[in-house]
Structures are given as C-alpha cells and as structure tokens.
Amino acid sequence: MDASSAADARQGHPISPDVWDKREMREALAAREISAVYRNLRKEGISQRQIAALTGQSQSEVSEILKGRQVMAYDVLARIADGLGVPRGYMGLAYDEATEIQVVGAADEQQAEEDESVKRRNFLAHAAQVTMGAAVFGSSPQAWGASPARTPAPGHIGMTDVRQVEAATRALRALDYQYGGGFCRDAVVAQLSWGQQMLDSSATSPVKSRLFVALADLHSLAGWTSFDTGLMDSARGHFANALELAKQGDNNPLVANILYRMGRVYLHQEAPNDALKLFQLGQIAAQESGSELAIAVLAANQAWAYAMMENEDQALKLLGLAKDEFARANLAEAEDWVKFFNETDVYAMIGTVHTVLARNVDLKHTRYAIPALSRAIDAYGEDMQRSKTFNLSALATNHLLEGDIDHGARVGRAALDAAEGLKSARVRDRMAPLREEAEKRKNNPDARDLAERLGSFFAA
C-alpha cells in the first residue's frame, strides 16, 4: 500500500491519528501497557465493542485487559497495533521484514502445524548432530530459519565491535532476570539482527572466533526470553542457531549451557525424558570443557528431570554430583554464562528437586526442600525477582504439603506479590502446583483465600 492509499484507508478509521501523540498515550504505548491504552481509548469515546472489532479480540478479552491483564506476546501486540492504527515504532515493534523473518516469527509460522513431540525430536537430532557430529536421535531437520536479504554489514570489524555485543548481552540478560523475558525480548531480537550482520564482515581469526561465541550467547538469550514469553518455536530456533555458532567458536562450556537451557524448556513442557537427553548431551560438552561449574549445572537439572520421572534414587544421585562439582568449581575463573549458577542457585535447585519428589514420591522430602528454598529466597536480591517468585511459590507448596496451611498461605501471598510487574509467562506455570495444593485444602479459610487469589492471578 502506497502513502496515498494508506492515508485514504485511515480516513474511515474511528480513531484519530492525533490520539497516539498525546503524552499519556505515548507513555502507555512505550511501556506496552495495553490496559492503559484501552482505558485512554475509552476516554476518547471508543467503545469496548469497537476496540474488540479493530483488534480481532473478543469483548471479554478486552474487558480483562481493561481490568489489568498484561499482553506480552509479540504477535498479539503487533495485531493490536495494526488494528488500532498505532504506528508500530511507538510500541517498539518497528522491525524491518528481514529482522522479523530472521529472528522473530519465522520458526513459529513454519512449524506451527507440527506435533510438539516431532519438534522435540527434531531439535534433539539437531543438538546431537552439532554436539557429537552425528545424528543420534533421528535425521537432521530442515534449516532453522529463512535467510532474507540483510542490511549491508560493516566492511571490517575488530574486538571493540564484538565487545559491544557482549556488553549489550550482559545488560539485556540482567533485565531478563529482574523483570522477565517479556520486558526485553524485542530489544534482544533487535540487537541480534544488528549483531548478525557482522558475520559477513572481514575480521582476523581471533575476532571471528569471539564473534561466533558472542552471537551464540545472544541467540541463547533470545531463546530464553522467547521461552519466558511462551514463544516455544522461536525459542527452539534461537537455541539451534546458538548451538551452531558456539560449536563454530569451539566453546564447549557455552554448548553445554545452551543444551541446559533447551532442556529446561522441555522440563517446563513436562517432557522430562526429552529434557534428560539434552542435559546428558550437555554434560558431555561440559566434561570436554573441563568446567566443573558447567557439569554441576547439568547434573542438577538431570536430577530435576529424574524427580519428574519419579526416579528418586537417580534424582538424589545427580543432586549429590551437582553439589560435589560445585564445591570443586573455581567460580572466579568460570565462563561468564555459567556464573549465574552460584551458591544461591545450588540451594534453589536442591529445593526444587525435593519439592518435585515431595509431591510425586514421598512427603518426607519437604524437610529438605523447605530449608534449601528458604536460604535461596533470603539470598535473592531485587535483580533476581523472577527466581525469587519461583522459589516462594515452591516454598508455599511445601508448607501446604506439610500441613502448615497458615504459613503456606502467607508465603503464597508473598509469591503473588513478588510476581507483580514480572513480564514472564512462566510464572503462572510455575505457580500451578501451589494452586493445585491450595484448591485441595479449600475447607481451610487461609487455603481458600489463597486459592481465590491464585484463581484471579491465573485469570488476569
């Protein structure tokens, strides 16, 4: 559509373009606070029915958003912007076609019709082929993304350019930890689009090698933030690209870390057997790197997978290995992307594994879960709000399992308070066990109140 055609189309639109330039509206758009956008439109005389018709949402969806429900998914935000006539740039959605196809939506569209188990198998095949040099679990899948024309890259790059990518990745990862993937995913994607242009630039071998690793880490962060916002296919595509780049950069610790993260995606999808295969592949890479800390991360997550599979012996064995390897690790010399796994995370993983075992195998595990989770929660700062929320929810679940309903309800309310402001689709899923246990005890007024609050949280 050319400019004159677009102008003609706008003439019949019920929302005046001037509305989007008002200060209050611009602030709401920049923050992607869609509930505030809708409230401002109501002040302008636009009805809920009109908003629903323009955005393709039901009136009940519009009503829920007006009451405060967050909207984080990229495709929904884009549909809202286009339907209402919002300039995409006002919401940080103004990516060019190449960027959108390369790092945002291609994988979701191409793989949407595939069964999830097929997608998992394909990724396992790809991961095995990259890590081991042979397709262990099946034939190699098709290419992971389209390759549209790119903006011309800089002619030559040096270490300073690569360090800029690394610095941006560190800053964006900190935002993800504190506020959730929905807060920063699009910024990660935009940074990735710019960074990938450098692959076509000339550079010395050391610069090229470090660039591969830097972009692998950035792809890994894009995968993690996509996972956190519920974009599973995009996450898979980013992790696949991250694996290839990390292997090109000959960085086994990063290969291990990427496999750990994709394994976590499968744990979240309650596919512990597939997750375990990725963790085991990751452990091979970690052992080749000689990184005790990377081995500890992989062992702890294998323990989680075994706990989900109700294999108590193996879960405890791997948890013991994780603690031993962590005790041996030289934290000061560890690679940057493994340093997240500190003493606090060790306690969090101990608590998580025992929580799963307490629910699935034997209630005695609450006596190990509660002190470990409490230590992790006490150590988390404001920069780790999402992790703190996860652990508060698990702690509350354990107290309910033990029969300490009053205390469990208090901790559960603290978890809900901590979840406020987080833009993470995973928070709801990680609170599902707490909701389940609260619902089972609704004859108790404290549990009933918590169940009702959780119900409202899940409906928002």
Side-chain angles (χ1 to χ4, degrees):
M1 184 182 289
D2 60 27
S4 60
S5 300
D8 290 342
R10 291 289 302 145
Q11 287 177 2
H13 203 286
I15 304 173
S16 167
D18 298 337
V19 167
W20 309 120
D21 289 318
K22 294 183 178 181
R23 184 180 62 82
E24 190 177 7
M25 185 66 87
R26 285 296 292 270
E27 289 175 356
L29 291 169
R32 296 187 189 167
E33 294 291 346
I34 304 302
S35 58
V37 172
Y38 284 6
R39 285 195 297 272
N40 287 333
L41 287 176
R42 296 289 289 114
K43 292 176 188 175
E44 297 288 336
I46 306 300
S47 68
Q48 284 191 39
R49 185 187 298 273
Q50 286 175 300
I51 294 172
L54 290 167
T55 60
Q57 296 172 300
S58 66
Q59 287 193 58
S60 62
E61 283 181 291
V62 173
S63 177
E64 287 175 5
I65 291 170
L66 280 164
K67 291 175 185 174
R69 193 187 92 186
Q70 293 182 343
V71 179
M72 295 184 289
Y74 178 91
D75 57 339
V76 178
L77 289 167
R79 190 173 72 239
I80 289 171
D82 293 343
L84 297 177
V86 180
R88 280 194 172 200
Y90 288 12
M91 292 172 66
L93 301 172
Y95 300 126
D96 57 33
E97 182 184 1
T99 305
E100 190 168 351
I101 294 172
Q102 184 77 14
V103 290
V104 180
D108 291 303
E109 292 171 8
Q110 290 169 359
Q111 301 180 19
E113 299 303 317
E114 289 183 12
D115 180 80
E116 181 60 32
S117 63
V118 175
K119 296 174 189 176
R120 285 199 296 267
R121 185 174 176 80
N122 282 343
F123 186 87
L124 282 166
H126 180 76
Q129 193 169 34
V130 172
T131 309
M132 308 294 293
V136 177
F137 303 115
S139 59
S140 179
Q142 61 185 17
W144 290 95
S147 299
R150 293 176 180 172
T151 305
H156 184 80
I157 59 169
M159 282 297 183
T160 300
D161 299 290
V162 180
R163 281 195 288 268
Q164 287 173 355
V165 176
E166 294 168 343
T169 303
R170 284 193 297 273
L172 290 165
R173 182 168 278 127
L175 290 173
D176 168 62
Y177 282 141
Q178 187 167 4
Y179 301 112
F183 186 83
C184 61
R185 177 182 179 269
D186 288 339
V188 176
V189 163
Q191 184 69 31
L192 187 54
S193 177
W194 174 78
Q196 284 193 156
Q197 297 176 40
M198 290 196 241
L199 289 172
D200 296 324
S201 303
S202 65
T204 63
S205 291
V207 169
K208 245 344 179 193
S209 181
R210 186 160 166 178
L211 176 64
F212 288 142
V213 173
L215 291 179
D217 195 29
L218 188 54
H219 259 299
S220 181
L221 179 58
W224 193 249
T225 54
S226 296
F227 162 47
D228 202 46
T229 51
L231 298 172
M232 297 302 181
D233 287 334
S234 285
R236 206 179 336 254
H238 284 301
F239 284 130
N241 287 322
L243 267 181
E244 293 177 3
L245 286 163
K247 199 67 176 176
Q248 280 182 281
D250 196 26
N251 195 295
N252 281 316
L254 184 53
V255 169
N257 189 267
I258 294 161
L259 289 166
Y260 140 72
R261 291 184 183 279
M262 193 62 208
R264 284 289 290 270
V265 174
Y266 290 164
L267 281 188
H268 188 79
Q269 292 180 318
E270 298 187 358
N273 191 46
D274 288 334
L276 190 60
K277 291 173 184 174
L278 286 174
F279 294 146
Q280 289 168 341
L281 272 176
Q283 189 153 13
I284 292 169
Q287 287 167 340
E288 287 181 358
S289 73
S291 170
E292 291 90 355
L293 193 57
I295 294 170
V297 171
L298 272 301
N301 281 274
Q302 286 177 74
W304 190 351
Y306 278 121
M308 289 179 69
M309 296 161 70
E310 302 182 17
N311 189 332
E312 182 180 20
D313 290 342
Q314 280 296 97
L316 296 179
K317 178 182 175 183
L318 268 298
L319 203 54
L321 175 62
K323 288 187 277 190
D324 291 343
E325 291 295 329
F326 179 79
R328 295 174 53 216
N330 186 335
L331 302 184
E333 294 182 7
E335 302 279 355
D336 283 347
W337 38 79
V338 194
K339 284 182 179 178
F340 78 91
F341 197 72
N342 54 25
E343 187 177 38
T344 303
D345 280 274
V346 173
Y347 283 114
M349 286 300 298
I350 292 169
T352 298
V353 171
H354 282 291
T355 300
V356 175
L357 290 172
R359 294 193 76 225
N360 296 344
V361 179
D362 193 327
L363 279 175
K364 71 179 183 183
H365 288 280
T366 58
R367 75 182 72 151
Y368 307 108
I370 288 172
L373 291 167
S374 298
R375 286 195 64 165
I377 290 163
D378 289 343
Y380 282 130
E382 289 185 4
D383 58 333
M384 296 293 286
Q385 190 72 356
R386 182 178 56 200
S387 295
K388 186 175 183 177
T389 303
F390 291 162
N391 284 269
L392 281 167
S393 178
L395 180 61
T397 301
N398 279 279
H399 283 301
L400 293 183
L401 288 168
E402 270 202 333
D404 191 354
I405 297 177
D406 174 59
H407 190 50
R410 277 202 304 274
V411 178
R413 289 192 291 271
L416 285 165
D417 291 341
E420 287 185 12
L422 286 175
K423 298 186 185 299
S424 169
R426 282 192 295 152
V427 170
R428 259 187 203 81
D429 297 326
R430 291 288 288 271
M431 283 193 174
L434 175 59
R435 187 185 188 188
E436 240 178 82
E437 299 302 333
E439 291 282 350
K440 289 177 186 175
R441 297 161 175 79
K442 284 181 74 172
N443 58 325
N444 179 287
D446 290 316
R448 185 165 57 251
D449 174 67
L450 177 61
E452 288 171 359
R453 282 197 61 182
L454 283 162
S456 300
F457 176 76
F458 274 73

